[in-house]
Amino acid sequence: MTNDELMREAIRLSIENVDNGGGPFGAVIARDGEIIATGTNRVTASNDPTAHAEVSAIRRAAEVLGTFNLSGCEIFTSCEPCPMCLGAIYWARLDKVYFANTKADAKAIGFDDSFIYDELALPREGRKLPSEEMMRNEAIVAFERWQAKADKTEY
């Protein structure tokens, strides 16, 4: 499939998802023009705040390919990814992101992620969501064991 065809599929999924009770977002993960996985926004339908189209497509692609590293794949999404999805895209090591609607378009219909970008730029103590470091001396043991582990699978 061409890039245009892959994006049209992501857009088609987003429109269909609205009619099926989900949010107006769809995503396609492809490798060499072949669809590996798709996803739609099912946040409210599944009561899962992480069930965004991109995250759903990444989970399915990883399952299909049997790997957490999606290098060699690209994602086509009906809207510019939110901070969570963008983070997942980086962690999955997708080669490129193509998007249709912009984050400004999403904001105009009530999907405004700008507060998250703003929060991430602040030091922890300046954020609206309180956070408190605790028990680091106990927790660091897992990190030390990970660092010393000879047969770990790095990611």
Side-chain angles (χ1 to χ4, degrees), residues 4-110:
D4 285 356
E5 290 170 324
L6 292 165
M7 182 57 79
R8 280 194 183 94
E9 179 62 10
I11 293 167
R12 184 193 70 74
L13 288 166
S14 72
I15 295 167
E16 180 180 88
N17 199 51
V18 171
D19 296 337
N20 291 328
F25 305 98
V28 170
I29 293 179
R31 181 171 59 191
D32 299 324
E34 179 184 337
I35 294 176
I36 303 298
T38 64
T40 56
N41 181 290
R42 302 306 292 167
V43 170
T44 58
S46 65
N47 293 317
D48 179 355
T50 68
H52 290 203
E54 297 91 337
V55 171
S56 297
I58 288 168
R59 288 175 179 159
R60 180 68 183 131
E63 182 181 328
V64 166
L65 296 176
T67 181
F68 58 84
N69 185 333
L70 300 180
S71 295
C73 297
E74 299 175 324
I75 189 165
F76 296 79
T77 181
S78 64
C79 186
E80 187 173 1
C82 74
M84 177 185 69
C85 291
L86 189 57
I89 289 165
Y90 274 103
W91 277 111
R93 293 178 176 77
L94 289 158
D95 289 357
K96 189 168 184 177
V97 178
Y98 298 90
F99 63 89
N101 292 318
T102 67
K103 60 185 177 182
D105 296 327
K107 181 178 181 176
I109 63 164

Side-chain angles (χ1 to χ4, degrees), residues 135-146:
M135 300 178 73
R136 182 177 176 273
N137 291 336
E138 292 179 35
I140 201 72
V141 172
F143 281 16
E144 292 167 349
R145 287 190 184 173
W146 172 259

